[in-house]
Amino acid sequence: MPNLTHFDDHGASRMVDTSDKPETLRQARATGLVRMAPATLALIRDKKLSKGDVLEVARLAGIMAAKRTGDLIPLCHPLPITSAAVDFTFAGEDLLHIEATVRVFGRTGVEMEALTAVSVAALTVYDMCKAVDRVMSVERIRLEEKSGGRSGTFRRDD
């Protein structure tokens, strides 16, 4: 297993030096789920919640979060991301699927940005719906694929 890059030889935390890495196109895609009562999902789908269009607010929150990941995760590099998209699918009567794709032309990847986008979008759905469904759960936030950089392409098999 490779060494953890966020620690120096003495165990102190550090931001990885990317100065010598070439700039390449990098992309990452992450997903997550919000499980809720079927009635809550229907309210979201039919845009019947008094707070407004839940999915559009969550989409904007996810995109904004991707752009601010370097401010939220201590050792992440602030990146000039070139694209961020957050999409939703009704994956059953009680399940909302969230997918974020982020791109950058840079020296480090955007996995954390995609994961952060999904996480904040899911939390925004929870926040907007908690008055009608406090037992919602955010589940299975994970990296699905990434490309670019020295380590190449990763795709989840399951």
Side-chain angles (χ1 to χ4, degrees):
M1 177 172 242
N3 292 329
L4 296 175
T5 58
H6 286 97
F7 298 100
D8 67 15
D9 293 337
H10 306 289
S13 300
R14 68 181 178 113
M15 181 182 250
V16 174
D17 184 356
T18 62
S19 302
D20 293 333
K21 289 183 172 184
E23 288 190 339
T24 61
L25 179 62
R26 296 157 186 267
Q27 178 172 302
R29 185 173 60 85
T31 61
L33 303 169
V34 182
R35 189 174 302 278
M36 63 192 74
T40 306
L41 193 74
L43 288 171
I44 293 170
R45 185 187 58 238
D46 299 338
K47 300 178 184 176
K48 298 283 187 181
L49 278 159
S50 62
K51 290 187 178 183
D53 187 335
V54 172
L55 299 185
E56 286 311 309
V57 173
R59 184 186 324 276
L60 287 174
I63 291 168
M64 291 173 66
K67 293 167 42 174
R68 300 295 303 263
T69 300
D71 294 331
L72 299 170
I73 310 292
L75 299 176
C76 279
H77 293 82
L79 298 175
I81 62 175
T82 57
S83 175
V86 178
D87 295 302
F88 305 94
T89 307
F90 298 108
E93 69 173 16
D94 66 346
L95 204 57
L96 178 67
H97 180 265
I98 303 171
E99 179 175 295
T101 304
V102 180
R103 294 173 63 147
V104 70
F105 190 77
R107 291 185 165 102
T108 190
V110 286
E111 296 96 313
M112 294 308 300
E113 286 73 9
L115 289 162
T116 300
V118 168
S119 300
V120 171
L123 291 172
T124 301
V125 169
Y126 186 96
D127 179 54
M128 292 188 74
C129 299
K130 68 183 182 278
V132 297
D133 189 353
R134 292 214 184 262
V135 298
M136 289 177 289
S137 62
V138 175
E139 303 174 5
R140 214 174 81 182
I141 295 171
R142 63 192 202 166
L143 180 68
E144 297 294 343
E145 63 182 314
K146 67 77 123 187
S147 60
R150 183 175 51 213
S151 63
T153 299
F154 161 80
R155 280 191 188 86
R156 185 173 293 279
D157 290 333
D158 57 329

